[in-house]
Structure formats: structure tokens, C-alpha cells
Amino acid sequence: QVQLVESGGGLVQPGGSLRLSCAASGSIYYIYAMGWYRQAPGKQRELVATITSGGSTNYADSVKGRFTISRDNAKNTVYLQMNSLKSEDTAVYYCNADALITTGRKDYWGQGTQVTVSS
């Protein structure tokens, strides 16, 4: 199995910044893409950003130019630098990893970390 542990969430004022981290552990052979998703109250979970093992990135239009995803393959860790935060960024942020382990390839999810943007 793969465990994903997120950290870095919290309360921040509009215009502020936060950095989320997600570390993957377990019997991992290889991690393909990693990413961040978010779910606001009453809404469906949505993609925020993804990054491949080679470093190719993809962003939701709503966060382009404000958020930056990066990863450290040696540490099996993905980061999300969030700048110029807006109230509409308030949500639970979930880490995702497409990983290959002994029993095959599967998607894994973290437990989520709350991000609240409010004055």
C-alpha cells in the first residue's frame, strides 16, 4: 500500500500564500503522476494541478499564474505553492499519486488538508 501524508494547510488572508506538501511512503516501485485536487463545501472534487515524473505540469484555469506544483522524485514528495490566494480557493486539498507497487498500478489519495482564505 501507499500512504500519502499532506501538510501545510491553514488559515490565510486574501492575497496571502501557503505551501502544501505531500509525502508518499510504502512499497513503491514507481510514481507516475502526482497531483492536487480540492473540494469546497457543496461542490465536487476538482483538479488543481498535476505533475508527471518528468516534470510536465497541468493546471486548472482558475489557478494558473498563482499556483505552482513541483515534486522531488527522490523523496516521493509533491508540493503546491499557492500565491495570491482568494476566498474561492477555500477548500479541502487532497494529494493524489498514480503509483506502481507490488500488486500493480493504482491511484492513491491523502486524507486532505484544509485551506481557508478569509480576512
Side-chain angles (χ1 to χ4, degrees):
Q1 289 294 332
V2 175
Q3 294 78 41
L4 299 177
V5 178
E6 300 126 332
S7 60
L11 173 64
V12 63
Q13 291 187 343
S17 299
L18 281 176
R19 189 188 193 217
L20 305 182
S21 300
C22 172
S25 62
S27 302
I28 301 169
Y29 284 158
Y30 189 79
I31 299 180
Y32 299 91
M34 298 186 80
W36 292 94
Y37 293 72
R38 67 187 181 186
Q39 187 167 17
K43 294 188 177 181
Q44 289 189 329
R45 189 174 297 188
E46 63 177 3
L47 178 147
V48 176
T50 60
I51 184 167
T52 67
S53 57
S56 296
T57 59
N58 179 51
Y59 294 93
D61 287 343
S62 59
V63 307
K64 282 180 181 176
R66 301 187 298 122
F67 291 9
T68 302
I69 190 171
S70 61
R71 69 188 273 181
D72 183 333
N73 290 332
K75 296 181 179 179
N76 286 336
T77 299
V78 64
Y79 307 95
L80 185 68
Q81 177 66 43
M82 304 185 293
N83 298 328
S84 301
L85 282 161
K86 306 175 181 180
S87 58
E88 50 262 45
D89 295 317
T90 295
V92 178
Y93 283 69
Y94 296 92
C95 175
N96 171 269
D98 176 9
L100 176 66
I101 64 171
T102 54
T103 54
R105 183 175 175 177
K106 184 181 173 182
D107 261 349
Y108 294 89
W109 293 90
Q111 79 286 355
T113 185
Q114 177 70 46
V115 172
T116 302
V117 184
S118 175
S119 55

